[in-house]
Amino acid sequence: MIEPFDDVHFMKKALQEAEAAFEKGEIPVGAIIVIDNKIIARGHNLTETLTDVTAHAEMQTITAAANFLGGKYLKNCTLYVTLEPCQMCAGALYWSQISNIVYGARDEERGCINLKTKLHPKTHIKGGVLEDEASALLKRFFIEKRNLN
Amino acid sequence: MIEPFDDVHFMKKALQEAEAAFEKGEIPVGAIIVIDNKIIARGHNLTETLTDVTAHAEMQTITAAANFLGGKYLKNCTLYVTLEPCQMCAGALYWSQISNIVYGARDEERGCINLKTKLHPKTHIKGGVLEDEASALLKRFFIEKRNLN
């Protein structure tokens, strides 16, 4: 069966956002939000550019998707994000009541799974989609950053 | 000893922000951020007005304080907030490395303490400052809201 709009398709779009962050010297994390196979929000990490710890990719896409929908709840929406959400972003996703979270790479230290951030009972979460690509981009960023300092 | 700039003084300013939220029909939570006894950011809950679950009082003051300071870390800063921060806001405060969090009322169900959100090791947190006033304002809001529906 051909599935043109599967998780890999959408995670590639989130990876494009992560690459845009990389080009700006930002830790490369990207996100998109999808409803009915349509992308309604895109964002990438802008914490350095905006001098703002709250400017994670997920936070921006949550705000943008709510703006698009005209309502603050993201029911029937799926967030695709290249890195497992942190406590802040998972906390925002809790409030949004989003239906699905799909992430790429695990974040063992600062991710919401090991830190046990509470998600909304209606939210499903799964990881590992294009994990290698997402991890490789993050590793390349930190290697280049180390070599510059 | 006269302490004109004690916790009660600053929490009263946060309560003024909570009252501003109340007047807008928002769940009444207010926050300020202080450095060297100077208020550098004020904010109140605007989730309904902005149709955005991320528009909590704390999130706005974190962004505003970083903007004022020209740096994203809130070292030597104190957040005064009328209600115990949620997971999202505590997660943002973790990233900010803020020195102190002072809250008014407890949030047993959705607050960061019972949900065990990780704070930065450099962050001190204490609660109960003008707790009765903060709680009374929240109770009044929910009673009025119930009577309107």
Side-chain angles (χ1 to χ4, degrees):
Chain A
M1 193 176 126
I2 295 168
E3 286 188 55
F5 297 125
D6 61 1
D7 286 345
V8 169
H9 169 81
F10 286 119
M11 190 60 82
K12 280 181 184 166
K13 304 294 183 188
L15 271 167
Q16 287 173 3
E17 288 294 323
E19 283 157 12
F22 186 103
E23 293 304 317
K24 292 175 183 167
E26 299 276 359
I27 294 175
V29 181
I32 63 165
I33 290 177
V34 171
I35 190 167
D36 295 334
N37 285 330
K38 186 178 164 188
I39 298 173
I40 60 170
R42 298 169 193 266
H44 52 265
N45 179 33
L46 285 174
T47 50
E48 297 301 325
T49 307
L50 299 178
T51 322
D52 185 349
V53 296
T54 75
H56 282 192
E58 300 95 314
M59 301 301 280
Q60 295 175 70
T61 52
I62 291 166
T63 298
N67 190 42
F68 177 88
L69 294 170
K72 63 185 176 145
Y73 297 116
L74 305 181
K75 292 172 186 172
N76 304 316
C77 290
T78 300
L79 170 81
Y80 290 89
V81 58
T82 58
L83 180 66
E84 181 191 332
C86 73
Q87 302 182 116
M88 170 180 71
C89 295
L93 291 161
Y94 167 87
W95 290 118
S96 79
Q97 303 185 18
I98 198 163
S99 296
N100 295 290
I101 300 168
V102 181
Y103 66 87
R106 265 306 283 280
D107 187 347
E108 301 276 351
E109 197 191 345
R110 287 168 162 177
C112 62
I113 295 171
N114 281 353
L115 293 180
K116 298 183 169 51
T117 311
K118 187 178 178 180
L119 293 174
H120 195 275
K122 289 176 191 156
T123 303
H124 299 274
I125 184 165
K126 79 168 188 180
V129 176
L130 297 184
E131 181 171 10
D132 292 345
E133 290 81 347
S135 289
L137 190 63
L138 284 159
K139 276 179 196 145
R140 186 154 63 88
F141 176 82
F142 287 111
I143 287 167
E144 287 192 15
K145 202 168 170 76
R146 207 173 300 138
N147 292 343
L148 284 173
N149 291 333
Chain B
M1 192 175 126
I2 295 167
E3 287 188 54
F5 297 125
D6 61 1
D7 286 344
V8 169
H9 169 80
F10 287 120
M11 190 60 83
K12 280 182 184 164
K13 304 294 182 187
L15 272 168
Q16 287 173 4
E17 288 294 321
E19 283 157 12
F22 186 104
E23 294 303 317
K24 292 175 184 167
E26 298 278 359
I27 294 175
V29 181
I32 63 164
I33 290 177
V34 171
I35 190 168
D36 296 334
N37 286 329
K38 186 178 164 187
I39 298 173
I40 60 170
R42 297 169 193 266
H44 53 263
N45 179 32
L46 285 174
T47 50
E48 297 301 324
T49 306
L50 299 178
T51 322
D52 185 350
V53 296
T54 75
H56 282 192
E58 300 95 313
M59 301 302 280
Q60 295 174 68
T61 52
I62 291 166
T63 298
N67 190 43
F68 176 87
L69 294 170
K72 63 185 176 144
Y73 296 117
L74 304 182
K75 291 171 188 172
N76 305 316
C77 290
T78 299
L79 170 82
Y80 290 90
V81 58
T82 58
L83 181 66
E84 181 191 332
C86 73
Q87 301 183 116
M88 170 181 71
C89 294
L93 291 161
Y94 167 87
W95 289 118
S96 80
Q97 302 185 18
I98 198 163
S99 297
N100 296 289
I101 301 168
V102 181
Y103 65 87
R106 266 303 286 280
D107 187 347
E108 301 277 352
E109 197 190 346
R110 287 169 163 177
C112 62
I113 294 170
N114 281 353
L115 292 179
K116 297 184 170 48
T117 311
K118 187 179 178 179
L119 293 173
H120 195 276
K122 289 177 191 155
T123 303
H124 299 273
I125 184 165
K126 79 168 188 179
V129 176
L130 297 184
E131 181 171 10
D132 292 346
E133 290 82 346
S135 288
L137 190 64
L138 284 158
K139 276 179 196 145
R140 184 153 65 88
F141 176 82
F142 287 112
I143 287 167
E144 286 192 14
K145 202 168 170 75
R146 206 173 300 138
N147 292 343
L148 284 172
N149 290 333

